[in-house]
Amino acid sequence: MAQADYDFNTVKPDIRPLPAAAANRSSAHRPGIWRQRNMPRKIPTGYYVYTISVDDVVRYIGKGKGLRLYSHMKEVRHRLNRNFKLRSIGSRFQRNLTRAVISGAKVVEQVLVDELTEKAAYKLEYEKLREYVYAGKRDQLWNVTASIQTPSEQQAFIERLKRNLNSRDRWIRYFSERTLVALEGNNVRTTPAAVALVATAPRGATTPKSRS
């Protein structure tokens, strides 16, 4: 079925097993048929760090164990077997991955390093994500978190926290002050919750600096 036959808001794909004679045909025009179906799955050893590429562009960096790296496409396949709306998919990564599969994109999972401990896998995942952010590729990744910031982004975040100290909202003042203390003391890494707090604070909701 051609891409034009799909409504990206309400998708009702016709996904049926291919005949044996057609198993090796190109499937770029058939959403829901992927290379993994005809290839053996290798289970990595221990914890590992992996990537998911869409049309040869790395879109996801993650860590896992067992069949974790295959779970993302498994979720997409299950979704395409039922009616759904793209805009209702909560995960940005899953929303973009589903859209890519519908359009016929090539999806490849690749293990970077395995035989790791859970702690080592977590550390390597963070380092790889940070490499992409520092290289100016934040928008390329579909799963990078706001807690990973470049020095300039970190400075802008600190300046926003300082402005929040004059907010009319006492909770914004309280958490901004606590986050500043932690950052200046290098006690904690910037958390997604703190970033969200700063991002949602109204820019105009401040009082004169003389206000207690």
Side-chain angles (χ1 to χ4, degrees), residues 42-194:
K42 177 184 176 182
I43 302 178
T45 304
Y47 286 92
Y48 55 87
V49 174
Y50 64 98
T51 63
I52 294 180
S53 299
V54 177
D55 284 340
D56 300 319
V57 177
V58 174
R59 294 296 188 181
Y60 184 98
I61 300 174
K63 67 179 185 303
K65 189 178 183 180
L67 295 174
R68 167 64 179 171
L69 76 163
Y70 301 117
S71 65
H72 310 285
M73 285 298 293
K74 180 179 179 181
E75 183 176 340
V76 172
R77 287 195 293 272
H78 285 174
R79 181 176 295 115
L80 293 180
N81 277 314
R82 64 180 190 272
N83 296 341
F84 71 96
K85 294 182 180 179
L86 269 177
R87 61 175 177 270
S88 68
I89 302 174
S91 164
R92 174 181 176 237
F93 172 64
Q94 275 293 321
R95 187 166 57 251
N96 288 343
L97 185 61
T98 302
R99 182 184 291 112
V101 170
I102 291 172
S103 69
K106 179 181 69 174
V107 178
V108 177
E109 303 104 330
Q110 180 180 3
V111 175
L112 298 180
V113 183
D114 63 353
E115 298 185 349
L116 298 172
T117 64
E118 184 176 13
K119 183 177 181 180
Y122 180 88
K123 181 180 180 182
L124 181 59
E125 176 198 38
Y126 183 86
E127 290 174 351
K128 289 295 182 181
L129 288 169
R130 186 172 60 181
E131 283 179 15
Y132 273 74
V133 172
Y134 275 47
K137 299 179 179 180
R138 177 188 294 278
D139 293 337
Q140 175 182 318
L141 295 177
W142 293 343
N143 72 313
V144 69
T145 67
S147 63
I148 301 177
Q149 299 178 323
T150 64
S152 60
E153 290 171 337
Q154 180 82 345
Q155 185 57 40
F157 178 73
I158 290 174
E159 293 301 321
R160 187 75 186 275
L161 285 172
K162 291 179 178 178
R163 290 195 297 271
N164 283 350
L165 296 179
N166 294 316
S167 172
R168 294 190 179 94
D169 188 315
R170 67 187 182 92
W171 288 113
I172 290 178
R173 294 199 306 270
Y174 172 78
F175 285 111
S176 294
E177 181 179 10
R178 297 283 293 181
T179 303
L180 274 172
V181 170
L183 287 173
E184 291 173 354
N186 294 320
N187 294 322
V188 296
R189 190 181 294 156
T190 306
T191 65

